Every structure is written in structure tokens, then in C-alpha cells.
């Protein structure tokens, strides 16, 4: 671990061009199905449809029934991606659009949509990078236990095979899961995301079943002839609030939950100390063997570091999430930093720290990395603060490359403003503004900036 960096208030955009990235570096933008597609009446219901109808769960009371109407406007969106000059588009496949009940009967109409999208991307010269699961579990599956049940992992692998069979001939790069950490913590432990369970540490099997689903899906994808398979995990440096043993212990625990609980089994084939005992699952060794089958690359979603201290002294609410007092850690605010509209601190150099840390922690077990998400929420079309954010983070990424970390690509979150989960439409992460009344797309200043920055790389 490199030492914590000095905190400074500056993130100003440098007027000079970005440093040069390798010629074959993969540049992309990302989205997810539930956040942009809309056309909810043409698919099965997911946990997020049900969650959004529970009063008070989505803060602005909205649903993703229409979202950005990408289902009908995908051609316009692919043209935006092409004109931006990126080589790849990370989207997700909606499980309930392909398999409305999560098992058995497949929807040809649902598969046809992804067929058309992939064709459109290929015709535009953009590499399709589908994620198979980005939190929209079919509601029927949830009603019989969802990810709390082991056999959901098997259902997931069967669905992965269906998707691979339909679009695999044109898809060179695959992602199994998006951020199983958030889906476990926010969706099942704290109840802040769908499906809204408040299981605290009893949510641990949800983490294991997702990881098992990942392992089985990798197997199914490879059997279908697919290659270049990875996973998108969210990670961030965890800083202790002080050198006091209680703060350090709390920070280590948070690091375990956010970072090691997912990366260790995937990359080392074992859970961090203590977790296997709590899980107490028969056949764990065989599961771990599946989970740690070699990946072609490993995806990192990075947004911010977290400052963590002993419980009792932190805020009751943090980044819009209620922190129950029984947790053995308490996040604290990082002071003296600019913040995004979400209130997240902007700390570009922590990105270098994270990447170096990963290299040191996993050494020769670490496959090449791809940054599968990085971005920020800001209002406005003249979004100079997003430009400063991206500029700062790309420079930090370049520092990690220069230090020898093998990073092969970078995807901005997100192409479009979209349905930001429990925040509804209140947080705007897009390079392209979406007017939710008219669905008109307007590229922001950051879109033009990135297009020029990428042009200068050619
Ligand atoms: O919008 C989300 C995305 O779905 C997963 N990663 C974080 C983004 C911003 O919160």
C-alpha cells in the first residue's frame, strides 16, 4: 500500500493535452439496461420495477419505465458513440428482457433487440462489450429467493449461454457481473437498493452466489466459444480516519467488504480470513475453484476513496445511504476536496493508489486490468467540472501505467444521463444530456472535450 496522499483542493483542468496512452488502448463509454432502455412493457419485471413502486425507496419517486428510451433510440445513441470516437461500448443485457421469468422460456423479441444493437455497433466500428447482469434480477426469481438462493447462480449461467448463442458471433469481449459488492451491500444488506433486503451480515450468501454465478457463466460462455471474459467490480482505496487501532481495524474491515470479499476469491481462489467460516457452505472448495477460473482481464469501477473510522462517530447518513449503528465501521467525510453533485469527493490521485495497490496485492495472479467505469455526477451542459474530473483521473491512470500497471482500457460512466437507481433522475452522470420530458439528447462540453482528447491520441 502506498502512503495516503496529501489532500489538496485543486482538480483544475490542465490546458495541455493528455499524456499519450498505448496505441491499442481500448477507449469506451458505458451504460446499463435498466438505467437507459425503458420499454418496460416489452420485458419481464425486475426487482427494480418492484422496488420503485415502494413508497420512498426511489428518492424522486420515479421509475425506469421510459428512462432514456434507448430501446427505441439505440440508433441515435450508437451514432453518438461513433462520433465520440471511442472504440467500445459497454452496455448490459436485461435478464428479464431475454428471459422474463429468469428461467425457461426465452423472449425472441428481447433477444432481437440485442441482435439489432450489436449489429448497429459493428456497423459503426464500435466493439460491443455486454455485461450479463447489472442488478435487474427477474422479479419471479426474486420471489423464490433470488440471489439468496444458490440455484440462481445456475439459472444465471443458463441465461448467459442463451445470450452467447444469439450474439456471441459478433461479441469479442464479455463481462459477467457488474459490482456484486454494491448489489450485496446496498441491495441485500442495507436495503437501499432493490430488492431492498436489510439482512446485514446475513447477506453474505448473496455475495457467494453471485460469485458462483460468475464462475458458472464463465464456464458457459467458454463452452459457447466466447473469449476475452472479465467482471466489473467496484473498488476504492480505504483510508483509516486515524492511526488509532480502532480506526485502523474498522478501515481494514471496510476494505475487506468492498475490495477483498470479491477480488480475493476471484483472483486468489480463497475468501479473506473468517468469511469461509461464516458462509459455512458445503462444497466451498469446489465453488472457489470455479470462481477463480482464470479471467482474460479484470474490470475495475473507480469513483472515490473512503475514509473509515470506528463505529459511533460517523454520520448517520453517508452519500445518501443510512448507516445502521450495528456496523463495525463508520464512513467519514473526506474534507478539503471538491465534491460531485452526489457529494462524492473528487480524489484523482487515489485512482493511481488503487491501481498500484491492486498490482502489489495480487501480483502475478492479476490479469490485465480494464477500467470499466469512472465518472461523476454534475448538472449542466457546459460541464467544466466533469472535464476536470476526467482529465484528472486520466492523468492518474496514466501515472499507474507509467509505473508498470497493466491497464488495457478505460470506459467513462456514462454515455447518457440516466436512471441513477435510488436517486432516480436526480444525479446526471452523462457525457450527453437527456431531457427526460422530450428525450432529446444534447452532447455536453465533456463530450466535445473527450472527442478532442481522443483525436489527439491518434
Ligand atoms: O450508475 C451506477 C452504475 O450503475 C454502477 N456503478 C456506479 C454508477 C454511479 O453510481
Amino acid at each position: 500500500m502506498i502512503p495516503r496522499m496529501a489532500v489538496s483542493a485543486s482538480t483544475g483542468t490542465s490546458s495541455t493535452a493528455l499524456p499519450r496512452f498505448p496505441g491499442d488502448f481500448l477507449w469506451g463509454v458505458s451504460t446499463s439496461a435498466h438505467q437507459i432502455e425503458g420499454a418496460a412493457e416489452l420485458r419481464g419485471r425486475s426487482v427494480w420495477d418492484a422496488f420503485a413502486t415502494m413508497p420512498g425507496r426511489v428518492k424522486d419517486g420515479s421509475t425506469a419505465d421510459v428512462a432514456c428510451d434507448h430501446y427505441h433510440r439505440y440508433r441515435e445513441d450508437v451514432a453518438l458513440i461513433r462520433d465520440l470516437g471511442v472504440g467500445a461500448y459497454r452496455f448490459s443485457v436485461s435478464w428479464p428482457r431475454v428471459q422474463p421469468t429468469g428461467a425457461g422460456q426465452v423472449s425472441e423479441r428481447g433477444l432481437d433487440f440485442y441482435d439489432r444493437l450489436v449489429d448497429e455497433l459493428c456497423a459503426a466500428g464500435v466493439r460491443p462489450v455486454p455485461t450479463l447482469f447489472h442488478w435487474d434480477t427477474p422479479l419471479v426469481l426474486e420471489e423464490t429467493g433470488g440471489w439468496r438462493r444458490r440455484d440462481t447462480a445456475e439459472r444465471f449461467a443458463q441465461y448467459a449461454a442463451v445470450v452467447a448463442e444469439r450474439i456471441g458471433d459478433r461479441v469479442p469481449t464479455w463481462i459477467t457481473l457488474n459490482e456484486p459488492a454494491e448489489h450485496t451491500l446496498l441491495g441485500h444488506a442495507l436495503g437501499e437498493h432493490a430488492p431492498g433486503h436489510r439482512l446485514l451480515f446475513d447477506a453474505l450468501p448473496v455475495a457467494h452466489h453471485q460469485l458462483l454465478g460468475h464462475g458458472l457463466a464463465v464456464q458457459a460462455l467458454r463452452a459457447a466459444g466466447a473469449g476475452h471474459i472479465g467482471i466489473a467490480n467496484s473498488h476504492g482505496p480505504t483510508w483509516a480516519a486515524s492511526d488509532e487501532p480502532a480506526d485502523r481495524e474498522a478501515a481494514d474491515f471496510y476494505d475487506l467488504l468492498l475490495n477483498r470479499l470479491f477480488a480475493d476469491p476471484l483472483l486468489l481462489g480463497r475468501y479473506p480470513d473468517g468469511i469461509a467460516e461464516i458462509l459455512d457452505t458445503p462444497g466451498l472448495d469446489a465453488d472457489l475453484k470455479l470462481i477463480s477460473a482464470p479471467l482474460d482481464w479484470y474490470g475495475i469501477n473507480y469513483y472515490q476513496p473512503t475514509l473509515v473510522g470506528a463505529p459511533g462517530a460517523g454520520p448517520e447518513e453517508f452519500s445518501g445511504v443510512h448507516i445502521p449503528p450495528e456496523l463495525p465501521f463508520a464512513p467519514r467525510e473526506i474534507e478539503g476536496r471538491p465534491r460531485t453533485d452526489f457529494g462524492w469527493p473528487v480524489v484523482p490521485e487515489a485512482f493511481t493508489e488503487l491501481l498500484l495497490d491492486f498490482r502489489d496485492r495480487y501480483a502475478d495472479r492479476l490479469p490485465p486490468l480494464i477500467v470499466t467505469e469512472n465518472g461523476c455526477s454534475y448538472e449542466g451542459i457546459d460541464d467544466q467540472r466533469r472535464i476536470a474530473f476526467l482529465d484528472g483521473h486520466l492523468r492518474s491512470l496514466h501515472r499507474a501505467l507509467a509505473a508498470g500497471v497493466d491497464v488495457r482500457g478505460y470506459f467513462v460512466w456514462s454515455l447518457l444521463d440516466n436512471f441513477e437507481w435510488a436517486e432516480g433522475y436526480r444525479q446526471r452522470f452523462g457525457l450527453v444530456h437527456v431531457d427526460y420530458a422530450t428525450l432529446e439528447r444534447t452532447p455536453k462540453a465533456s463530450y466535445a472535450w473527450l472527442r478532442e482528447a481522443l483525436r489527439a491520441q491518434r
Side-chain angles (χ1 to χ4, degrees):
M1 172 90 96
I2 67 169
R4 182 176 159 191
M5 310 261 178
V7 172
S8 106
S10 97
T11 53
T13 316
S14 159
S15 56
T16 56
L18 288 175
R20 183 150 286 282
F21 284 74
D24 57 356
F25 196 77
L26 188 64
W27 296 96
V29 285
S30 44
T31 62
S32 90
H34 191 79
Q35 292 177 274
I36 64 165
E37 281 181 3
E41 72 289 359
L42 300 182
R43 58 164 171 75
R45 277 165 65 76
S46 84
V47 290
W48 271 96
D49 297 312
F51 189 75
T53 63
M54 300 174 194
R57 292 303 190 97
V58 173
K59 289 172 190 157
D60 62 2
S62 62
T63 71
D65 287 359
V66 177
C68 307
D69 195 30
H70 169 77
Y71 182 91
H72 295 109
R73 293 163 199 257
Y74 69 94
R75 284 199 183 86
E76 189 186 342
D77 294 337
V78 172
L80 283 163
I81 298 167
R82 182 200 56 213
D83 294 349
L84 180 59
V86 290
Y89 174 47
R90 174 182 171 219
F91 58 99
S92 82
V93 177
S94 158
W95 189 353
R97 195 177 290 292
V98 166
Q99 233 180 357
T101 60
Q105 192 66 39
V106 166
S107 161
E108 286 305 318
R109 182 168 57 189
L111 281 171
D112 285 349
F113 169 66
Y114 297 106
D115 232 356
R116 291 195 296 276
L117 174 62
V118 167
D119 278 348
E120 192 73 12
L121 288 164
C122 292
V126 175
R127 180 196 300 210
V129 181
T131 302
L132 289 164
F133 178 68
H134 197 123
W135 304 348
D136 45 357
T137 311
L139 189 57
V140 175
L141 269 193
E142 174 57 32
E143 285 166 349
T144 53
W147 288 103
R148 286 163 289 151
R149 273 177 71 145
R150 184 183 173 87
D151 57 7
T152 295
E154 282 146 33
R155 302 284 91 77
F156 176 63
Q158 286 156 7
Y159 145 77
V162 167
V163 177
E165 192 172 317
R166 178 58 85 91
I167 58 173
D169 55 335
R170 287 149 290 155
V171 168
T173 300
W174 292 87
I175 299 176
T176 55
L177 306 178
N178 178 71
E179 297 183 0
E182 269 65 19
H183 195 50
T184 307
L185 297 175
L186 297 177
H188 294 80
L190 301 178
E192 299 280 343
H193 275 187
H197 300 304
R198 295 195 170 117
L199 300 170
L200 293 178
F201 289 101
D202 290 339
L204 211 50
V206 171
H208 183 64
H209 297 153
Q210 286 178 90
L211 286 168
L212 182 61
H214 157 85
L216 291 167
V218 169
Q219 216 174 39
L221 288 172
R222 295 218 193 276
H228 207 236
I229 305 171
I231 183 170
N233 270 321
S234 61
H235 291 296
T238 305
W239 296 339
S242 79
D243 277 339
E244 291 299 319
D247 285 339
R248 293 172 72 94
E249 205 176 299
D252 284 349
F253 193 79
Y254 185 86
D255 175 50
L256 183 149
L257 282 187
L258 178 70
N259 296 315
R260 297 184 47 216
L261 180 59
F262 297 89
D264 283 14
L266 287 161
L267 299 173
L268 304 177
R270 59 171 187 264
Y271 277 111
D273 285 351
I275 297 293
E277 291 73 11
I278 303 176
L279 269 174
D280 192 20
T281 301
L284 191 62
D285 286 350
D287 287 359
L288 283 165
K289 208 159 177 207
L290 258 172
I291 291 168
S292 59
L295 287 172
D296 300 296
W297 56 276
Y298 186 92
I300 289 190
N301 295 357
Y302 170 71
Y303 288 90
Q304 56 178 320
T306 312
L307 185 67
V308 178
E316 279 174 20
E317 192 173 299
F318 187 79
S319 280
V321 174
H322 172 73
I323 306 296
E326 54 271 55
L327 290 183
F329 56 83
R332 309 274 173 83
E333 298 296 350
I334 294 176
E335 305 294 347
R337 285 294 182 161
R339 289 181 183 279
T340 69
D341 285 353
F342 221 142
W344 298 353
V346 179
V347 193
E349 70 274 19
F351 195 16
T352 318
E353 177 183 333
L354 172 72
L355 295 166
L356 294 179
D357 217 14
F358 247 75
R359 193 248 338 248
D360 295 346
R361 200 176 257 189
Y362 297 106
D364 60 354
R365 304 298 292 270
L366 190 64
L369 297 173
I370 295 180
V371 178
T372 33
E373 283 182 27
N374 178 235
C376 49
S377 144
Y378 287 119
E379 281 291 332
I381 290 178
D382 185 15
D383 55 345
Q384 297 301 320
R385 290 179 300 167
R386 178 170 288 102
I387 295 174
F389 181 101
L390 295 174
D391 180 274
H393 283 76
L394 284 169
R395 287 173 195 280
S396 288
L397 169 57
H398 195 271
R399 257 172 241 127
L401 279 172
V405 186
D406 186 4
V407 186
R408 306 273 176 99
Y410 173 90
F411 287 68
V412 177
W413 183 272
S414 176
L415 171 68
L416 302 172
D417 290 340
N418 58 48
F419 177 77
E420 176 55 28
W421 308 114
E423 295 292 315
Y425 296 99
R426 300 193 319 181
Q427 303 294 340
R428 292 182 176 270
F429 278 87
L431 295 168
V432 175
H433 178 270
V434 177
D435 178 328
Y436 295 117
T438 62
L439 297 169
E440 190 188 345
R441 276 80 163 134
T442 307
K444 301 180 188 177
S446 56
Y447 176 98
W449 174 84
L450 185 59
R451 190 181 48 200
E452 288 317 306
L454 296 181
R455 233 177 237 164
Q457 292 284 323
R458 280 185 219 125

